[in-house]
Every structure is written in C-alpha cells, then in structure tokens.
Amino acid sequence: MAPIIVQLATTEETERFGQDLALALRKGDLVALSGDLGAGKSTLARGLIRTIAADNDYEVPSPTFTLVQSYPELRLPVSHVDLYRLSSAEEVDELGLEEALEDGVVLVEWPERAAGALPRENLRIELIHEREGREIRIEGDAATLARVERSLAIRAFLASSGFAKAERRYLLGDASARGYETIANDGQSPLILMNAPYNPGGPVLRDGKTYMQIAHLSQSVTAFVAIDKLLQARGFSVPEIHAADLDAGFLIIENLGSEGILDAEGLPVLARYEAAVRLLARLHQYSWPQDIEAADGYAHHIHRFDRDAMMIEVELLSEWYVPRMRGAALSQELKQGYVATWHKVFSQLKDAEQSLLLRDVHSPNILWRADRKGMDQVGLIDFQDAMIGPSAYDVASLVLDARVTISPELQDHLLLAYLAERRAADPKFDEAKFREAFAIMAAQRNAKILGIFVRLDERDGKPAYLKHLPRIQAYFIRALQHEALAPIRNWCEKAGILDPEFH
C-alpha cells in the first residue's frame, strides 16, 4: 500500500494530527516515530496521548531519561518510549513492550536505535522539516493504514463542514462497525460525529444473502438519515443532522446529552421508563410508509420484520449460545426441531398489530432531556435498523431491557402504562392479542441476544457483553411462560437448556 503523505504547517496542526492518529489506533498497535531532533515527534505524541486521555492539560512528560513513560489508566493504555539514550538494541527486550501491546499501544521515538529489535511496527511515521512546517510520511500494514486513512478522511469531512479545527474525542463504539466521537469548535457545545462506513455484511449464508441482509440490518448511514427525518416529521425527539456525507458514511448530528433513563446507581428511573413506554404507545398509533427519502437521490426502503429475519435471529441461540453453555453443538435433529418449533410460534403473529419497529429501544438508546416537556423529554437514537413489524417488539425491548434488570413488578407496571395509553386512543385495542405478540417478541428478542452476546465474545473478541447473560436468560425464561410459547418451552426442556445447571 502506498505511503500516506500529510503536510502540516504549524505545531497546532501537528497536535491535531496526533488527535486524528489517536482515534485510528487499536490495542496492539506499535507506532514508530522517526525524525531529526525538533522534528515534532514529542509534539505529535503529546497530542495523541492527550486525545486518548480526553484532557488537553494531561501531563505528558518526556520519556528521554526514563526510556518508557506509561499511562495504564487511560481508555487505551499507552506506553511512550524514547530510545535516544538506548545503549544497545539488546536492551529493548527489557522494556516490556510485548506486554504493553497486549493491553494497549506503544509509541516509540528513535526506533532506528532498536536495530530491528522492536516486536512489531504497525505504523512507521517519519517527520521531515519543511521550512516552517513539516511533512509526515506514514507507512505500515494495509489494515492499520486503512484505519489512519479513515481518520484523516473524517478530518477532511469536518473541514468541509466548518469544523476544520474541531477537537475530536472518542465517545463510544458499539457492537457493530459504527463508531462515535464528540467534536467541538472552540467555545461551542459538542456535537456527535457518526463514523459508519458501508458494511458489506460478511459471508453469504443462504439464498445469496448475508446475515445483515436476511435480518434487514442497515448497511449504510442512509437508513439513519431517512428514519431520523421520518421520526422528526412526526414530532419525535431525534438528533438534528448538521452535515452528512452519505457515500463516505459520515454524519455530524445533534448531541442530545448524556443523561439517560437510569439513576446514578444504574437502576431504572420509573418515571423515565414510563415516559418512554408511553412514547411507544404514541408511535404505534401512526401508520408508517415503507419507502422514504434520506436526500435527493438517496432512497430507503423500510423492510418488514418477516419470517426469514425472525428465524435468522433466533438461530443465533442454537448456533452460539447453546453450544457455549452445553460445551457441545446441538444434534441435527434438535436443530431441525428448534427451527420447526419457532415457525409454529411465529404463525401466531399473523394478525398481530404492525407498526414502525425501531429495533433497539432500551436504556443505552434513550436520552432524557430534562429541559423539555412531555414526550419531547424522551430522545431517541440508534434507530437505523428500523423495520415494519409487530408493535409489541419495541415494548418488549424496553420492558425487558437487555442492559439493566427489570423486575416482574416493574415489567407489569410499564405494560399497564402502555396499554392504558393505547386504550385511551382506541377503546377497541386488542389487549389479549397484544400480550400474546409481546410474549413471542420478548422470547424472540432474548433468544437473539443470548446468541449475539456469545458471538461477540467468541467471534469478535468482545467479552464485556457476557456479564448480561444471566439477565437475558431470566428474561427468556420469563417470556416462555406465556401459553403461546409452549412449543418453544417444550423444546427447551427437551434440550435441557432450562435446567438450573445450564445457566
């Protein structure tokens, strides 16, 4: 892959490049910084470390005399190394760089002094004086260079949108390929940068389609923009979109704040959950189009939550969760029985009420806007995977929140609040049919999540989600108590996955 060349005119631009580089790094990266004395290696390193620390005043002393300056407390631990005073290349082994790379990143100034003894060099960055500024020459392996190019493309997008000098800070990454940052010009409130490159969807699984295509997951930011505009037009509180590059997958959106619907101890705030569930009741009173526009020339089709999508999701339980918990894969007979049983259960949804289904209505995706009134207090995000499907799905998603324990008593309270809102708008609302759909969708969703959280650990190296398994297991079993789920309950009993020792 050809080197990346960057021209920087000032020290400020060098520190800003450190920001851009910091947001491209991942655990295990070793960055070798070369250049003459005064070329700007320490300036770049300082900008990088302060970005990871999210603190412009974070103290970054020179490692010239200590050789290694470590920052284990950072979101991404950093070891800053200066080999200028190294006596011999053999001393590199004593610096603990291999261990540092297991948990974080390593920045090495004067790497040429190591004479090839460094454990790796994902990135080689040479800083060259050019009059008052400097040229940056970046080389490395293709995957790491691609991350750097993506980060520099974000900076170019910010510049074209009026944020050339914006300060970038990591916000979060989710279970998908999306990433989020806060961006802010001097003296302005921060906005959100969504970085969502087109996702091709992985390998083809069946009928010429990938998992994402079968499950109707969004593959580009076009879906987010289209759904955002649709919800905003109906009066729901969603982020304002300030700038977009739909082809590149970049958005600058309104920051709805950081206050959610949990208290300081991470427990549900009753009034906020109730406001959210009443908002869903309002949303389900509308009819929704399936074909909408994100921008001129960018159309979006809202898929139906069809049988194929429901099935590919519940099969995650049989493919990932059950083998993990049993220590062995299911027999072909049990797998076939599992699929047939779900088909039977899903047939009961034939007459279920259909509405816009936002897909992940739970605590991480609901923001509380205390300065607003009424339904506007409930801010919605992360709805790009919306479909048309049983209205009960989003209610099940909220009332059985995957990230926080909802007691049976709170579940009942929230369901009654939702039902009261629906009956007030339509006295003929079919509560029994809704409760049946709620149970089926609750079981379907939690079966999917059990499989996804195990897959995130085993396939994607993201073990943090495993802590939620006991809660999701309890929700799944709770949902199975409805008579509509008797076939699934019977299958689970036959397979032994309801036994206490299974959990």
Side-chain angles (χ1 to χ4, degrees):
M1 189 170 180
I4 300 171
I5 307 295
V6 179
Q7 303 292 334
L8 304 174
T10 65
T11 297
E12 180 187 27
E13 288 185 7
T14 303
E15 290 193 351
R16 196 174 300 127
F17 173 77
Q19 283 186 28
D20 300 336
L21 181 60
L23 291 161
L25 296 182
R26 301 289 184 270
K27 181 174 66 175
D29 286 341
L30 188 148
V31 182
L33 299 174
S34 298
D36 294 336
L37 285 170
K41 299 185 296 297
S42 296
T43 300
L44 192 160
R46 183 169 59 247
L48 187 155
I49 293 169
R50 285 178 171 173
T51 299
I52 295 175
D55 182 354
N56 287 333
D57 297 319
Y58 192 79
E59 187 175 356
V60 184
S62 171
T64 299
F65 294 99
T66 58
L67 294 188
V68 180
Q69 190 71 41
S70 297
Y71 306 92
E73 72 282 2
L74 301 185
R75 169 187 63 82
L76 180 63
V78 178
S79 292
H80 184 193
V81 183
D82 188 328
L83 301 183
Y84 187 74
R85 294 169 57 86
L86 197 71
S87 299
S88 67
E90 287 73 23
E91 293 181 25
V92 171
D93 290 339
E94 302 172 11
L95 300 180
L97 302 188
E98 286 278 15
E99 293 81 1
L101 289 168
E102 290 177 6
D103 299 314
V105 301
V106 174
L107 310 180
V108 180
E109 297 187 39
W110 301 100
E112 55 274 12
R113 303 282 178 124
L118 294 175
R120 68 174 71 95
E121 291 183 30
N122 296 65
L123 285 176
R124 295 177 294 280
I125 299 179
E126 184 179 9
L127 294 88
I128 304 166
H129 276 300
E130 282 196 342
R131 298 183 180 87
E132 298 302 316
R134 54 185 57 89
E135 178 181 276
I136 307 290
R137 183 181 181 87
I138 311 164
E139 298 179 285
D141 65 72
T144 311
L145 280 180
R147 281 191 263 126
V148 174
E149 280 195 322
R150 182 75 182 173
S151 188
L152 294 176
I154 289 174
R155 178 62 70 182
F157 167 66
L158 293 177
S160 69
S161 305
F163 294 89
K165 297 183 179 180
E167 184 176 273
R168 299 172 59 189
R169 291 289 183 260
Y170 173 88
L171 181 60
L172 60 88
D174 61 16
S176 73
R178 288 184 298 273
Y180 299 86
E181 303 172 15
T182 59
I183 61 162
N185 282 333
D186 284 344
Q188 295 183 357
S189 298
L191 298 172
I192 304 295
L193 181 285
M194 182 190 295
N195 173 17
Y198 177 78
N199 191 335
V204 170
L205 296 183
R206 61 184 66 155
D207 300 326
K209 297 180 180 179
T210 67
Y211 176 89
M212 292 186 71
Q213 291 167 335
I214 297 169
H216 305 314
L217 297 173
S218 68
Q219 295 180 268
S220 73
V221 295
T222 300
F224 180 92
V225 174
I227 300 297
D228 185 274
K229 290 184 175 181
L230 180 63
L231 290 169
Q232 190 177 57
R234 294 285 172 86
F236 294 96
S237 183
V238 294
E240 186 76 30
I241 297 173
H242 294 279
D245 184 333
L246 299 185
D247 292 328
F250 299 137
L251 298 178
I252 298 174
I253 63 176
E254 179 185 4
N255 187 344
L256 298 184
S258 58
E259 189 173 359
I261 57 175
L262 306 179
D263 65 18
E265 283 71 46
L267 300 175
V269 177
L270 175 59
R272 298 180 183 185
Y273 269 83
E274 186 172 324
V277 84
R278 290 185 184 277
L279 178 143
L280 289 177
R282 173 184 160 195
L283 185 146
H284 294 154
Q285 293 168 30
Y286 287 102
S287 60
W288 298 90
Q290 282 190 263
D291 292 295
I292 53 180
E293 190 177 67
D296 289 343
Y298 293 86
H300 176 65
H301 177 73
I302 305 177
H303 292 279
R304 289 199 172 274
F305 194 20
D306 54 30
R307 185 72 63 90
D308 288 344
M310 292 182 187
M311 285 304 311
I312 198 74
E313 291 185 341
V314 296
E315 287 175 36
L316 292 169
L317 181 139
S318 57
E319 293 294 330
W320 293 93
Y321 172 74
V322 175
R324 170 70 167 258
M325 305 308 281
R326 293 183 58 177
L330 285 169
S331 68
Q332 197 61 32
E333 179 185 1
L334 278 173
K335 279 186 180 181
Q336 291 173 350
Y338 179 75
V339 169
T341 302
W342 271 112
H343 276 298
K344 183 176 181 180
V345 168
F346 290 148
S347 295
Q348 300 172 86
L349 293 170
K350 182 176 60 175
D351 299 322
E353 179 190 62
Q354 304 286 302
S355 185
L356 185 67
L357 181 162
L358 300 183
R359 200 125 180 188
D360 276 318
V361 181
H362 58 168
S363 52
N365 297 332
I366 303 174
L367 296 167
W368 187 252
R369 312 180 79 187
D371 59 330
R372 305 299 179 93
K373 293 184 178 180
M375 292 297 175
D376 201 32
Q377 289 183 304
V378 181
L380 300 172
I381 58 173
D382 200 19
F383 38 70
Q384 59 277 335
D385 296 325
M387 298 179 290
I388 300 295
S391 56
Y393 184 94
D394 280 345
V395 182
S397 175
L398 177 64
V399 170
L400 297 174
D401 193 323
R403 305 302 179 91
V404 61
T405 300
I406 304 292
S407 68
E409 295 76 20
L410 180 54
Q411 173 185 330
D412 290 343
H413 177 91
L414 294 173
L415 266 178
L416 289 173
Y418 175 87
L419 293 169
E421 200 79 19
R422 295 303 307 275
R423 284 194 301 267
D426 179 8
K428 295 181 180 180
F429 177 73
D430 192 336
E431 178 179 334
K433 195 66 181 174
F434 176 84
R435 284 186 177 273
E436 178 183 75
F438 174 89
I440 295 171
M441 290 290 87
Q444 191 274 346
R445 177 173 170 79
N446 285 288
K448 173 190 76 172
I449 295 173
L450 286 171
I452 283 179
F453 283 1
V454 171
R455 187 178 70 179
L456 283 167
D457 175 45
E458 295 187 1
R459 189 192 72 180
D460 303 331
K462 298 179 179 180
Y465 294 90
L466 295 178
K467 66 184 178 184
H468 300 297
L469 286 185
R471 176 185 309 116
I472 310 305
Q473 291 161 349
Y475 288 162
F476 182 60
I477 292 171
R478 196 187 300 177
L480 294 184
Q481 303 316 303
H482 193 281
E483 60 182 10
L485 275 300
I488 295 296
R489 187 170 65 248
N490 294 337
W491 182 91
C492 289
E493 289 172 350
K494 180 180 178 181
I497 71 170
L498 297 184
D499 297 338
E501 60 268 21
F502 189 80
H503 307 302

